[in-house]
Amino acid sequence: MSILFDRWLPAVVLAPSVAASLLFVYIFVFLNGYLSFTSSRLLPRYEFVGLDRYRELFDNDVWWESVANLFWFAAPFIVISTIVGLTLAILLDQRIRAEGALRAIYLYPLALSQVVAGTAWQWLMNPSLGLSHVAEQLGWRGASFDWLSDPSRAIFCVVIAAVWQCTGFVAALFLAGLRGVDEEIVKAAQVDGASKPLIYRRIVLPTIRPVFFSVMLILTHLAIKTFDLVVAMTAGGPGTSTILPTIFMYTYAFERGRMGIGAASAMMMLAMVVAILVPLMYLESRATRNAA
Amino acid sequence: MAGAVAAQAQTQDIEVLHYWTSGGESKAVNVLRQRLEKEGINWKDSAIAGGGGANAMTVLKTRAVSGDPPAAVQMRGPVIQDWADQGALVGLNAIAGNWNRELPPAIDAALKYKGTYYAVPHWIHRVNWMYINKPALDKVGGKVPTTWNELFDLADKFKAAGIIPIAHGGTPYHDGVYFEGIVQSMGVDFYRKAILEQDQATLTSPKMVEVFDILRKSQRYFDDGIQGRPWNIAAAMVIEGKAGMLFMGDWAKGEFANANKVPGVDYVCAARPGTEGMFTFIADTFVFFKQRNQPATPAQNKLASMIMDPAYQAEAALYKGAIPANTTVSLSNFDDCAKKSSNDMQGASRANGLVPAMNQGIPEAMLGAVRDVVTRFLNSNQDSQSAVQALARAARNN
């Protein structure tokens, strides 16, 4: 009796969450996939029309612009967050005083919702009342920063805000990884006369490889999911220069009554996530297998 | 007995979903509310601000799908016919009396689906307006432009005098409102074919390239701070004399009125270049959703006929800055711009020039796609030819 209980307990405990994720993730993904092949406009209509919605989506200039914007947003966002986050983590790792307080300060931005962060940065970067205005009042003539209203640069303002928000979190992840590195190996290297940069480059960073993997995983899906930050900062403007696939999807599905196109664009975003994450996970699992 | 009381209480309640939340708008709504409550009908207010009505429409969809739509809903444009087609609305023919004689035919048609009235209009807005600061106009010795060339001449004069020639708000919305005026200046038939019917041959014609050329040229007369500026701030620039001209529908007149500006003295209201004799309208209406699949409740009928009542129409249009939809209403309390508007509407109606404005005449998806093309053009170095191609493509796919 108790053997039976022990064997089934984990399954019973896990069942609700498995069922919930089956329903709320996979069933809905499937439903959305089905919608993307239908003629749904204002409301769902289950009439199969084949690939028409995808054809319309691929013929849509704004969709392709949103994909290009996603690249210009995600690439600098991921690279800068990782580099700055890692640097902060290494600096914090030097057994400094008030480390706890500093770590909290770096982490705080993540506690703010994206809407708040977006609105705050919109004010900061507004040419007539933000940072450049303050600089001018302090006597720095000709200080002007108008990227937010420049269609070719506005996306980088979003990058700045997103980096500001996520870097502390990345640093915390790296710091946890750094603390997990075996002290003995580091000491052995020191005894052998290795310099600090060399120790980090050859021993510490290769050891925390799995952390890089988690950071990539988290930042990539954060980038693809970004929505409220842009809505609050630029609402996709100037023009359509900061529109992202998520905003495209929302606009078409819920504002313009083109549910089919919205569903198709959501499937394309899923495809992007899969296309990036599956190779990453495969590489990672192979690497750990080799290590073991 | 208790059941009877409850049933009665229910028929005397009416839930109204609307997005009239700004100053003048909520005054207009309150007029209606008070009149209704005098008749013993309780107005349950569901005001949902934001998104130019998009938020309210999202709520409506959810409520309609779950089988509990509000009894009365503010609505405009082709979406009325969409909901009527779904069988969700109550027909109003029983109370429509003389509507077909009181309303101009083009507006009458916008309320109907297959011969049945489904919507009742509160007031009529005219979109093809421009406003010019009068002292600034006199200072540079200009006259009200009637063609785009005259307009650019005047803009040059403003520029030379240190006045921002055109007050514009850099939003897809205002970009669209500016753009439709240029299309309309190519003639009412061109506008009908290109925008309302999305005829491919018209959309790709040389005239459409000219439209984008004029748009590009206009852009030189905007100032640097347009990005994201709401239209009412743009209006304030003309009111204060910092800018010369504003292109916006007659709801902008409320801003001038609030600043105690008098038409003809402080500012001029005129039809946009090349659109004299044309009247592009927006009819704000209420539609009534079936409650539990039943025909119109007494409260719904009461509210519908109250909206067409001349006394309400006169009062509400005044607050809203529009003109009454009911042409039998006297305009003695209205300003000169509204009087001109009403005259123009009846003249245009006789001469086949009364047409729905862009955000009245085409579905949300198409409207959004047109705005996307226009706003992308204004925020890039795209040439007119490829913008025309983009517009034609957007029309095919929406």
Side-chain angles (χ1 to χ4, degrees):
Chain A
M1 181 65 205
S2 98
I3 296 173
L4 203 68
F5 184 76
D6 282 351
R7 184 185 295 166
W8 286 100
L9 183 65
V12 170
V13 171
L14 282 176
S17 60
V18 171
S21 66
L22 261 183
L23 175 66
F24 291 112
V25 180
Y26 295 99
I27 302 266
F28 281 152
V29 167
F30 175 80
L31 266 181
N32 181 68
Y34 189 78
L35 273 183
S36 71
F37 294 109
T38 66
S39 59
S40 305
R41 293 181 74 100
L42 203 60
L43 300 171
R45 186 189 295 168
Y46 298 97
E47 177 198 359
F48 191 77
V49 293
L51 289 172
D52 283 7
R53 295 293 90 83
Y54 289 91
R55 231 169 268 139
E56 284 164 9
L57 181 70
F58 294 153
D59 203 18
N60 190 318
D61 297 342
V62 180
W63 165 253
W64 290 114
E65 183 166 14
S66 77
V67 173
N69 286 341
L70 178 61
F71 174 79
W72 287 113
F73 168 68
F77 164 65
I78 294 172
V79 171
I80 300 173
S81 302
T82 310
I83 294 175
V84 177
L86 181 62
T87 315
L88 287 177
I90 291 174
L91 294 177
L92 280 175
D93 195 32
Q94 307 308 311
R95 311 277 165 217
I96 51 170
R97 262 192 291 174
E99 185 201 306
L102 279 174
R103 210 171 39 189
I105 289 171
Y106 292 146
L107 260 180
Y108 267 137
L110 196 74
L112 289 182
S113 79
Q114 291 200 326
V115 173
V116 176
T119 309
W121 277 99
Q122 188 207 29
W123 288 337
L124 285 172
M125 296 198 210
N126 183 316
S128 56
L129 44 92
L131 289 174
S132 70
H133 180 65
V134 172
E136 224 162 335
Q137 280 193 325
L138 289 178
W140 181 9
R141 298 240 245 107
S144 91
F145 183 79
D146 59 354
W147 283 19
L148 205 54
S149 54
D150 178 344
S152 55
R153 293 196 177 120
I155 193 75
F156 298 114
C157 294
V158 184
V159 172
I160 295 174
V163 165
W164 171 82
Q165 195 173 29
C166 292
T167 300
F169 176 61
V170 172
L173 284 178
F174 276 124
L175 189 60
L178 292 175
R179 289 288 148 84
V181 175
D182 194 346
E183 290 277 329
E184 299 301 318
I185 306 176
V186 175
K187 280 195 184 126
Q190 275 170 342
V191 171
D192 285 346
S195 66
K196 215 154 207 180
L198 194 68
I199 295 175
Y200 270 103
R201 204 154 42 99
R202 303 295 284 275
I203 300 172
V204 177
L205 294 187
T207 323
I208 61 165
R209 210 187 116 102
V211 180
F212 277 96
F213 167 69
S214 333
V215 166
M216 285 294 145
L217 204 77
I218 291 168
L219 291 183
T220 310
H221 95 272
L222 268 185
I224 294 176
K225 277 193 337 196
T226 299
F227 176 79
D228 7 7
L229 188 67
V230 181
V231 170
M233 266 184 94
T234 63
T240 47
S241 58
T242 55
I243 195 166
L244 294 178
T246 44
I247 297 173
F248 179 94
M249 187 275 288
Y250 178 80
T251 310
Y252 274 73
F254 302 112
E255 284 186 352
R256 296 189 185 170
R258 300 304 313 272
M259 200 165 271
I261 292 187
S265 66
M267 291 316 285
M268 293 315 296
M269 280 189 279
L270 179 68
M272 283 181 220
V273 176
V274 170
I276 294 169
L277 294 193
V278 166
L280 255 180
M281 286 164 89
Y282 174 72
L283 279 177
E284 188 52 31
S285 70
R286 212 176 52 170
T288 39
R289 223 180 303 134
N290 289 349
Chain B
M1 181 63 202
V5 172
Q8 203 192 5
Q10 238 157 21
T11 55
Q12 295 303 309
D13 249 8
I14 189 160
E15 185 187 355
V16 184
L17 179 80
H18 64 92
Y19 48 96
W20 287 318
T21 48
S22 80
E25 292 173 348
S26 52
K27 269 189 200 161
V29 166
N30 264 331
V31 172
L32 190 60
R33 183 183 187 151
Q34 281 160 10
R35 284 171 167 263
L36 199 65
E37 282 174 354
K38 236 176 252 164
E39 304 273 336
I41 299 170
N42 183 34
W43 169 294
K44 267 178 71 190
D45 196 53
S46 294
I48 296 171
N55 298 349
M57 290 301 115
T58 308
V59 171
L60 174 64
K61 265 178 249 170
T62 335
R63 297 270 308 263
V65 170
S66 64
D68 173 38
V73 179
Q74 177 197 349
M75 203 177 267
R76 71 159 69 125
V79 73
I80 297 172
Q81 280 75 22
D82 287 349
W83 281 112
D85 183 47
Q86 307 255 349
L89 304 181
V90 301
L92 301 171
N93 278 2
I95 54 140
N98 294 326
W99 288 9
N100 61 345
R101 265 176 284 136
E102 288 162 356
L103 299 167
I107 288 160
D108 193 66
L111 310 174
K112 281 183 179 164
Y113 180 66
K114 292 188 176 162
T116 305
Y117 282 104
Y118 285 101
V120 49
H122 292 256
W123 45 68
I124 304 296
H125 280 300
R126 182 188 198 179
V127 181
N128 62 325
W129 277 123
M130 69 177 170
Y131 304 89
I132 307 175
N133 183 300
K134 187 85 184 346
L137 184 68
D138 295 340
K139 186 178 150 198
V140 302
K143 66 178 188 63
V144 177
T146 57
T147 66
W148 284 101
N149 283 334
E150 285 177 25
L151 182 126
F152 291 134
D153 286 345
L154 177 63
D156 283 326
K157 285 183 187 157
F158 277 138
K159 207 170 197 172
I163 299 168
I164 298 165
I166 299 171
H168 188 70
T171 58
Y173 165 72
H174 204 164
D175 292 344
V177 167
Y178 193 94
F179 169 78
E180 67 173 298
I182 308 176
V183 181
Q184 286 147 7
S185 71
M186 300 285 158
V188 68
D189 290 326
F190 180 79
Y191 169 69
R192 270 208 189 92
K193 274 202 134 65
I195 301 297
L196 300 180
E197 293 162 20
Q198 296 122 41
D199 172 59
Q200 285 289 325
T202 314
L203 279 173
T204 50
S205 66
K207 266 191 179 175
M208 207 67 213
V209 180
E210 203 185 324
V211 166
F212 279 96
D213 287 342
I214 293 174
L215 186 60
R216 184 62 86 204
K217 194 167 178 195
S218 303
Q219 197 178 16
R220 282 196 257 148
Y221 299 102
F222 300 166
D223 61 315
D224 290 335
I226 62 165
Q227 228 25 268
R229 174 191 288 152
W231 66 263
N232 56 325
I233 304 295
M237 291 164 61
V238 175
I239 292 170
E240 290 160 13
K242 275 197 280 187
M245 297 177 271
L246 172 75
F247 291 76
M248 189 40 76
D250 53 15
W251 47 90
K253 217 178 56 190
E255 302 290 320
F256 286 87
N258 283 341
N260 295 320
K261 300 293 180 189
V262 182
V265 180
D266 301 305
Y267 69 101
V268 180
C269 48
R272 295 186 190 176
T275 71
E276 188 64 51
M278 200 185 295
F279 187 108
T280 64
F281 72 89
I282 288 178
D284 275 323
T285 70
F286 266 8
V287 297
F288 300 89
F289 275 76
K290 284 183 184 162
Q291 303 293 297
R292 292 180 208 81
N293 271 323
Q294 295 300 307
T297 65
Q300 285 178 323
N301 277 334
K302 187 94 220 164
L303 180 54
S305 22
M306 200 172 270
I307 291 170
M308 272 298 276
D309 182 63
Y312 164 71
Q313 291 252 325
E315 201 175 350
L318 205 55
Y319 283 132
K320 192 68 172 63
I323 57 172
N326 189 334
T327 50
T328 62
V329 173
S330 150
L331 291 171
S332 50
N333 290 333
F334 286 70
D335 65 27
D336 291 346
C337 290
K339 283 177 186 154
K340 174 175 163 54
S341 192
S342 177
N343 271 336
D344 288 358
M345 175 167 82
Q346 292 179 33
S349 183
R350 281 189 296 270
N352 194 27
L354 181 59
V355 283
M358 204 161 77
N359 59 354
Q360 163 87 33
I362 57 179
E364 278 303 303
M366 188 60 212
L367 176 64
V370 173
R371 285 182 185 164
D372 281 348
V373 171
V374 173
T375 199
R376 284 190 79 202
F377 176 77
L378 281 173
N379 287 290
S380 69
N381 312 320
Q382 198 178 26
D383 60 284
S384 302
Q385 190 62 51
S386 56
V388 161
Q389 293 308 323
L391 187 64
R393 206 158 46 237
R396 274 200 304 275
N397 291 327
N398 277 287

